[in-house]
Amino acid sequence: ETRRRHPLAVQCNTLAASITQERQLLLPIQTLADRVIDTSSTSVHELRRILGEELDQDPEQITLMIESFGYKKGVPRDIDVAFDVRCLPNPYWEPALRGLNGRDQAIAQWFESKPLVAEMLDDIQRWMIRWLPEFIAQQRHYLTLGIGCTGGKHRSVYLVERLTELMEQTGYQVITYHRELA
């Protein structure tokens, strides 16, 4: 099911002729396959389920990408959910901490002394624990969460690192990315 023209439609008069031509062109590749799946009467949802079974994927599993970013450079286009943490205390204004980032121990100690940071971390984690099962129920296998602060080097990085630890402890597979540190 598609609204796009078949790639071979230029050479063939009809969709059926295009599909026949495609099958002939792909026959050498098909002979190399371990498994052939006829999708002629399969919906995209059924195909996703079939592929998940074939690839032995756990339908209850979701991979989280938790990304830190700086609002100064804009919100990443590929995130599904964004959390704005610019309301938290900023170590940038401490001259001894300015050149560090959220992965540094001195920054972690500074944040651990700020109750508001712990509350934000707890709120985001509770949101994730509550809503991730709903994304999984909708057949989502990958979700990207963005955490943004002004420059993307202190608050967002620290929270991404801590959330990664917490979510891995609850059994989620997590990938982290720090856009402004890359």
Side-chain angles (χ1 to χ4, degrees):
E1 295 179 10
T2 182
R3 293 187 177 105
R4 293 171 192 76
R5 187 180 64 184
H6 192 283
L8 298 175
V10 175
Q11 299 170 7
C12 305
N13 294 336
T14 66
L15 178 59
S18 297
I19 292 171
T20 300
Q21 176 75 18
E22 177 184 21
R23 286 182 174 152
Q24 290 171 352
L25 289 170
L26 294 175
L27 192 57
I29 296 171
Q30 181 179 345
T31 61
L32 300 172
D34 294 327
R35 171 96 154 85
V36 175
I37 302 170
D38 182 358
T39 61
S40 300
S41 60
T42 305
S43 73
V44 293
H45 304 292
E46 291 170 312
L47 179 58
R48 177 181 285 135
R49 182 190 53 75
I50 292 167
L51 290 174
E53 289 171 1
E54 286 291 322
L55 298 172
D56 204 23
Q57 292 179 335
D58 181 357
E60 301 296 315
Q61 183 63 276
I62 190 168
T63 299
L64 301 173
M65 164 68 89
I66 308 178
E67 177 177 347
S68 68
F69 68 93
Y71 277 96
K72 283 200 291 190
K73 294 187 179 176
V75 178
R77 297 172 114 187
D78 59 346
I79 61 173
D80 298 303
V81 178
F83 292 98
D84 184 344
V85 298
R86 291 176 289 184
C87 60
L88 298 178
N90 191 350
Y92 176 84
W93 300 111
E94 300 288 332
L97 301 176
R98 184 174 287 189
L100 302 176
N101 68 61
R103 289 177 162 168
D104 292 311
Q105 186 59 35
I107 295 289
Q109 290 173 339
W110 191 84
F111 279 132
E112 288 164 7
S113 73
K114 310 291 182 197
L116 205 55
V117 175
E119 288 179 45
M120 178 68 81
L121 179 64
D122 184 57
D123 286 345
I124 295 172
Q125 182 190 18
R126 281 189 296 111
W127 183 91
M128 292 169 74
I129 296 297
R130 164 61 185 98
W131 292 104
L132 287 177
E134 298 301 324
F135 284 98
I136 293 167
Q138 294 300 314
Q139 308 294 312
R140 294 288 298 266
H141 299 285
Y142 194 83
L143 188 73
T144 303
L145 288 99
I147 299 179
C149 60
T150 306
K153 294 185 179 174
H154 297 106
R155 296 169 286 186
S156 61
V157 171
Y158 171 78
L159 287 171
V160 165
E161 291 293 317
R162 290 292 296 125
L163 274 170
T164 298
E165 292 171 17
L166 294 169
M167 296 310 291
E168 285 177 341
Q169 289 171 8
T170 60
Y172 285 97
Q173 180 180 352
V174 183
I175 300 167
T176 60
Y177 177 66
H178 300 292
R179 185 180 77 178
E180 313 318 341
L181 298 184

